[in-house]
Amino acid sequence: MDYFQENIRLGEVFVQLVAFLTVFFVLRKFAWKPLANVIKARREKLDHEWTDIGKMKAQVAELQKEYEEHLRKIEDEAREKLQEAVQEGRRIAREIQEKARSESQISFEKAKTNIEIEFEKARFELKREIAKLSLQIAEKVVREKMDAAQHEKRAMELIEELEKKL
Amino acid sequence: MDQTGHLISQTAHAATQAHGEAHELPNIFTVLDQIFPGNPFFEFFHHWENIVFSVLIMALIVFCSVRAARKKKFIPDANQNRWEMFVEGLTGFVTGILGPKGVEHVPFLGTLFIYILIENWLGLFPLMKSPTSAWSTTIALALAATFYIQWVGIKEQGFFHYMKHMAGNPKGILGIALLPLMLVINVTIEYLAVPLSLSLRLFANVSSEDRLIYKFAELNVMYKFLPFFFQLFANILAIIFSLVQAFVFLLLTTVYISLIMPREDHGHATGSHNKKFPSPVKPT
């Protein structure tokens, strides 16, 4: 009993209790709550920022997907237009070729016609020359009395002359 | 210099011997009272030295924690960071036992832990004393813990269910017949055994540590510092055991809170208190 009386002092117990409760209430109001609030606010802010980052990442991914889609479309369109241009070029080349061919055909036909006309003209001229020469020969034969040898000779000369003219 | 140190040690030794059987190193008030005998000022402080050291610790904790919490920086400085680490660590520990609702008990449990820890460690500083080496201090702390635990019980269960809990949840005629006995047993356990065990454990451990350190210090004086390494060892042990004792006090208080909180298996989680909490950890 003496031990308890020596070691337990009720006044001290009471003051110690008050001291501890004072620390508790002061810390609860001025330390624990502010610290807990700071931690909570920081956690919320970080969570919020993480959420924002997540959203932004999703947006970026969406945009990237859109851009890739857009690029793919552009590439497709470019390829399509290129192919169209190639086709158009080929078509034009074919047309030019066709035109050139038809023009050359026309020219050829024209030239052929001209040649035929010139040929007919030459033939006509030749006939006329032959007739003229025949008349001249006949005239000479009539005018001069020639023997058979002279006739032949004369005729050969006329032929040679005619060949030269042709 | 060596002589001066020796003289101080001798004075301290004599000062403690003068107060009957010395069991701890002399503190500043013991020494002052011995140097100035009959001085009412020093006598008063020597008589209430535990309270003086407690108030000193109180001021220290309040100053440091409020200073750390006052800044409220988003990017904390070293002091704020230390306190935040402590708060977060403790919150994790307490909610691990009490569940999410345990957050509201963190201020009490945290204050209890840090207050006891600093009080335990204070005796390791020269000319200081651990207030927890006095039973009166530990009784005050245990009473604070007990009142808090019972208050939580009344608040969480409601007064009727709390009384029912104290009466041992009586069922049937036998239960009602045994009600007074159960009430006495439970009240004795909750209001007497719990604070007694809490206070005695802390007081006995811390005063034993102080006694051990004192004895090694006495050996140092007697044998010209030969047993210095023993004292060093005792100091390291005291640092560790002080931490362990503060932690044990915290753990037991947390467990007592978890035991008094309403649970499904107690069958009295009704009405506004019908909340499901995780099963508390039972003390081993």
Side-chain angles (χ1 to χ4, degrees):
Chain A
M1 204 65 192
D2 288 343
Y3 181 80
F4 288 108
Q5 277 177 349
E6 194 185 318
N7 283 287
I8 302 171
R9 292 192 285 185
L10 289 176
E12 196 173 313
V13 171
F14 178 73
V15 177
Q16 291 280 15
L17 188 63
V18 170
F20 173 73
L21 291 176
T22 310
V23 179
F24 166 55
F25 286 116
V26 171
L27 255 64
R28 193 176 71 162
K29 184 162 178 62
F30 297 107
W32 291 103
K33 275 186 183 171
L35 279 170
N37 288 340
V38 166
I39 293 167
K40 193 182 168 190
R42 188 184 295 123
R43 189 170 288 137
E44 277 173 2
K45 193 176 177 187
L46 288 176
D47 284 348
H48 187 68
E49 283 181 3
W50 273 113
T51 313
D52 283 354
I53 289 167
K55 279 179 189 170
M56 281 167 78
K57 269 185 179 175
Q59 278 179 353
V60 167
E62 190 67 27
L63 277 172
Q64 195 177 356
K65 203 178 165 186
E66 275 179 22
Y67 287 146
E68 279 172 2
E69 187 69 21
H70 198 62
L71 274 172
R72 202 176 54 77
K73 272 184 186 173
I74 288 169
E75 278 176 9
D76 285 351
E77 277 177 16
R79 198 178 296 117
E80 207 172 300
K81 283 189 176 172
L82 197 67
Q83 279 184 350
E84 276 178 12
V86 168
Q87 291 294 331
E88 184 67 16
R90 280 180 183 162
R91 192 183 59 77
I92 291 166
R94 207 162 39 242
E95 277 179 11
I96 290 166
Q97 212 173 1
E98 288 295 323
K99 198 178 170 185
R101 193 175 285 127
S102 62
E103 277 178 359
S104 67
Q105 190 65 33
I106 290 163
S107 298
F108 177 73
E109 291 295 328
K110 205 174 173 180
K112 198 178 168 184
T113 313
N114 284 342
I115 288 164
E116 280 175 358
I117 290 166
E118 287 298 320
F119 184 73
E120 287 299 322
K121 211 190 263 180
R123 269 179 70 183
F124 180 73
E125 281 292 321
L126 189 64
K127 277 180 181 174
R128 213 172 58 177
E129 255 337 285
I130 290 169
K132 198 177 170 182
L133 283 171
S134 301
L135 281 172
Q136 281 176 354
I137 292 165
E139 196 179 333
K140 276 185 180 177
V141 170
V142 172
R143 228 181 265 166
E144 297 171 14
K145 292 179 182 173
M146 289 188 298
D147 54 8
Q150 279 179 321
H151 277 176
E152 194 180 346
K153 190 182 172 187
R154 192 63 189 164
M156 287 305 289
E157 281 172 6
L158 282 170
I159 288 163
E160 279 174 10
E161 197 178 340
L162 192 65
E163 278 176 350
K164 276 177 191 171
K165 278 186 180 176
L166 287 171
Chain B
M1 191 69 186
D2 185 44
Q3 272 190 336
T4 315
H6 191 66
L7 273 172
I8 290 170
S9 305
Q10 293 267 350
T11 312
H13 182 66
T16 50
Q17 289 292 344
H19 285 78
E21 193 193 349
H23 57 80
E24 60 191 13
L25 287 170
N27 58 62
I28 182 79
F29 298 116
T30 327
V31 175
L32 284 172
D33 188 46
Q34 190 65 31
I35 293 170
F36 304 102
N39 187 316
F41 185 73
F42 293 129
E43 254 181 25
F44 174 81
F45 276 105
H46 175 52
H47 185 71
W48 299 107
E49 60 190 17
N50 291 319
I51 292 171
V52 176
F53 284 114
S54 287
V55 169
L56 184 76
I57 289 162
M58 188 178 96
L60 182 78
I61 293 171
V62 167
F63 174 74
C64 292
S65 59
V66 171
R67 193 165 159 262
R70 195 164 45 95
K71 292 173 185 170
K72 297 177 189 174
K73 286 180 184 170
F74 183 74
I75 299 168
D77 58 14
N79 195 25
Q80 191 186 338
N81 205 15
R82 274 194 290 272
W83 277 93
E84 283 187 11
M85 272 174 67
F86 175 65
V87 172
E88 283 198 283
L90 192 74
T91 307
F93 172 75
V94 171
T95 50
I97 296 171
L98 299 176
K101 208 172 164 55
V103 175
E104 65 188 58
H105 304 301
V106 168
F108 179 80
L109 295 168
T111 310
L112 197 65
F113 175 74
I114 202 152
Y115 191 73
I116 293 171
L117 182 67
I118 306 292
E119 287 205 334
N120 290 353
W121 276 347
L122 192 72
L124 297 170
F125 290 92
L127 299 177
M128 294 287 162
K129 188 196 173 187
S130 298
T132 40
S133 66
W135 201 2
S136 301
T137 310
T138 59
I139 285 174
L141 293 168
L143 282 177
T146 306
F147 291 148
Y148 184 81
I149 292 160
Q150 301 312 317
W151 175 75
V152 170
I154 294 168
K155 194 182 122 193
E156 293 291 330
Q157 298 183 33
F159 186 72
F160 176 73
H161 286 113
Y162 172 77
M163 289 310 291
K164 203 175 154 190
H165 167 81
M166 293 303 278
N169 295 309
K171 280 173 191 167
I173 297 166
L174 189 67
I176 291 165
L178 289 173
L179 193 144
L181 180 67
M182 293 303 290
L183 201 65
V184 169
I185 290 171
N186 275 327
V187 167
T188 310
I189 289 170
E190 299 278 355
Y191 285 97
L192 199 66
V194 166
L196 189 73
S197 72
L198 281 174
S199 64
L200 207 54
R201 182 186 298 106
L202 185 62
F203 157 66
N205 276 287
V206 178
S207 61
S208 304
E209 284 165 13
D210 286 356
R211 194 177 290 245
L212 188 71
I213 289 168
Y214 167 70
K215 287 295 170 194
F216 280 122
E218 200 175 43
L219 281 175
N220 270 326
V221 174
M222 288 163 71
Y223 298 103
K224 307 289 178 194
F225 305 103
L226 263 176
F228 170 73
F229 291 103
F230 292 119
Q231 197 188 355
L232 186 70
F233 177 69
N235 272 299
I236 293 167
L237 273 185
I239 292 170
I240 296 166
F241 288 150
S242 295
L243 180 68
V244 169
Q245 284 312 312
F247 184 72
V248 165
F249 206 100
L250 163 77
L251 180 69
L252 286 172
T253 311
T254 315
V255 170
Y256 290 138
I257 290 171
S258 80
L259 289 174
I260 207 148
M261 279 165 89
R263 285 175 293 151
E264 281 183 335
D265 54 339
H266 274 198
H268 50 62
T270 53
S272 61
H273 306 288
N274 191 9
K275 293 162 189 169
K276 290 179 183 177
F277 302 125
S279 292
V281 174
K282 304 225 168 162
T284 52

